[in-house]
Amino acid sequence: MREKLLFILSFIVILSGCQNSTNNGDIDPILGSRSELLENVTNNIILPAHENLKDEIVNLNAKAQDFTNNPNSLSFSKLRNAYVQTYISWQSVEMFSTGKAEEIDYVKSMNTYPCSPVRINTNLESQSYDLNQSNYPSWTAQGLPSLDYMLYGLDLDSNMILDYYIGIDGTKYLDYLNNVITQMETN
């Protein structure tokens, strides 16, 4: 008897959950209309995140110019800090790859992981590269992972990394670093 009662109650609960709603399909009783929700997300999450990333890239570019004009450990440290802040800002934007960002493969040009040290070094040595190409090999030699390699991965000792920028081939490294950042800013 108890099992029948439990079965009947379960059936009634399930059946009552399947009622047709009289609400409009576009309006959620808790969230409101979908268009209002999307407008809110766009104006209060997506656009501010993109603006913040833009500001961080502009700051990164300024720190790169300071480092280029005066390559020393202090300007290098400031450049690294600006890079970290830019990467953190990127994390709030990466998930919104729609519209124009999807069209220009923004995510791939900004954050193809892992970067290709071989490709980066080839670009550095040849000084003949085109970061505007939208293809796989080009993506692996630009964007944030490439900057990571240029700022942290050339050598384990940060003082040794600085030597790449002030050494005999320093202009190659500085040019490539600035070109990668400029490409990020352009995108």
Side-chain angles (χ1 to χ4, degrees), residues 33-45 47:
S33 75
R34 288 184 182 142
S35 62
E36 289 173 356
L37 175 68
L38 292 174
E39 186 177 323
N40 182 41
V41 168
T42 300
N43 293 333
N44 296 315
I45 297 173
L47 293 177

Side-chain angles (χ1 to χ4, degrees), residues 136-147:
Y136 172 74
S138 178
W139 292 326
T140 62
Q142 63 178 299
L144 293 161
S146 295
L147 286 180

Side-chain angles (χ1 to χ4, degrees), residues 63-84:
K63 298 301 181 202
Q65 292 305 314
D66 292 345
F67 177 63
T68 300
N69 295 334
N70 190 12
N72 59 45
S73 59
L74 179 61
S75 61
F76 187 61
S77 177
K78 289 179 180 181
L79 175 61
R80 281 177 150 187
N81 289 336
Y83 159 76
V84 169

Side-chain angles (χ1 to χ4, degrees), residues 91-160:
Q91 298 303 314
S92 298
V93 170
E94 185 172 19
M95 67 187 108
F96 302 116
S97 181
T98 59
K100 186 68 172 176
E102 185 177 27
E103 184 181 314
I104 65 170
D105 290 319
Y106 189 53
V107 170
K108 292 176 184 173
S109 67
M110 284 289 286
N111 198 30
T112 293
Y113 184 84
C115 69
S116 172
V118 171
R119 180 91 173 161
I120 293 168
N121 290 330
T122 300
N123 287 350
L124 283 164
E125 289 304 314
S126 71
Q127 290 292 290
S128 176
Y129 50 86
D130 181 8
L131 298 177
N132 290 315
Q133 292 178 340
S134 68
N135 59 28
Y136 172 74
S138 178
W139 292 326
T140 62
Q142 63 178 299
L144 293 161
S146 295
L147 286 180
D148 185 53
Y149 174 72
M150 301 272 308
L151 299 174
Y152 295 95
L154 291 169
D155 204 303
L156 295 176
D157 182 5
S158 65
N159 291 328
M160 297 299 288

